Amino acid sequence: MRRILVAGNWKLNGSLAANAELLDGIIAGASADAPVDLLVCPPYPYLAGIADKLEGTGIAVGAQNVSQQASGAFTGEVAASMLVESGCTHVLVGHSERRSLYGESSKTVAEKFEAAQAAKLIPVLCIGETLEEREAGRTEAVVSEQLDAVIEQVGVQALADSILAYEPVWAIGTGMTATPEQAQDVHKFIRERIAGLDASVAEGLRILYGGSVKGSNAAGLFAMADIDGGLIGGASLKADDFLAIANAAS
Ligand code: 13P
């Protein structure tokens, strides 16, 4: 049985004051025995402070990006080992905003995945198609290419220590959520593709859905057989909204 994970991707949002208010609200409202794991992914400068604050709460901390390099002359980059020292257990890799706005190729994303695991971080690999690709009937081809690049880099077994997030680009920040059936179709496709290589890895792997998830649509999505939680953008920035999604998982 896969446990539901509700993860908040704060993107480029937050301040010391706003973060404190948000986290106080989440800590106060999160029930320790709910059958759901929680993860927050704030911007880099806040990670260490937030990891301290969340110690003992059971809420995990992740970064939104990581360098594929371990150290050296790479100005502006942050290594996986540094994220570990900052209290992170998870890191997002391959978010569509990194792919489209910062030119990250599937090969680069695969290298980041590998660097994260080398430092014992759990990578949350994000994959998903654009509206144009969906309309051209290329959804399965696109997610396969993004997934296969990682499998080629690290092998299918490495997926056992990772999390996947299917985020259709057309659903991100648009209010246009995929229907539970649309999302389930792709999640099932992804799981079956992995099962073709290793059935037990596929069975244990958590595949989150991301793209305009909110309290009102989360329960329908999480009820689907192959949807194991959510990667939440906008609705992770208000404690009540984030908790409503977490509660939908119970
Ligand atoms: P929204 O929930 O704002 O659509 O963002 C989804 C997302 O990109 C999470 O990584």
Side-chain angles (χ1 to χ4, degrees), residues 63-211:
Q64 299 171 18
N65 184 26
V66 63
S67 177
Q68 64 272 47
Q69 311 291 345
S71 66
F74 302 103
T75 301
E77 292 292 282
V78 175
S81 61
M82 298 171 185
L83 297 179
V84 171
E85 287 196 328
S86 304
C88 291
T89 49
H90 294 69
V91 62
L92 308 182
V93 296
H95 191 280
S96 65
E97 288 149 17
R98 302 285 331 159
R99 293 177 192 264
S100 68
L101 303 173
Y102 299 96
E104 289 187 13
S105 67
S106 290
K107 174 69 177 165
T108 302
V109 172
E111 289 169 359
K112 290 183 176 214
F113 184 106
E114 185 172 33
Q117 285 195 331
K120 303 271 183 288
L121 285 171
I122 299 172
V124 180
L125 171 66
C126 306
I127 60 178
E129 82 289 0
T130 63
L131 184 59
E132 196 183 17
E133 288 163 342
R134 172 165 283 258
E135 286 176 345
R138 298 194 55 242
T139 298
E140 293 185 353
V142 170
V143 298
S144 296
E145 182 274 326
Q146 294 170 338
L147 181 63
D148 291 355
V150 171
I151 295 175
E152 259 169 51
Q153 182 80 20
V154 292
V156 69
Q157 293 286 336
L159 292 180
D161 300 312
S162 77
I163 295 165
L164 252 53
Y166 168 59
E167 298 204 300
V169 178
W170 48 272
I172 294 178
T174 58
M176 247 169 64
T177 327
T179 64
E181 293 74 21
Q182 277 176 322
Q184 166 61 22
D185 281 351
V186 182
H187 283 232
K188 182 164 183 280
F189 169 78
I190 293 167
R191 200 180 303 284
E192 283 175 352
R193 188 171 181 89
I194 296 166
L197 300 169
D198 189 315
S200 94
V201 169
E203 181 56 31
L205 182 65
R206 289 193 282 190
I207 309 178
L208 315 182
Y209 166 80

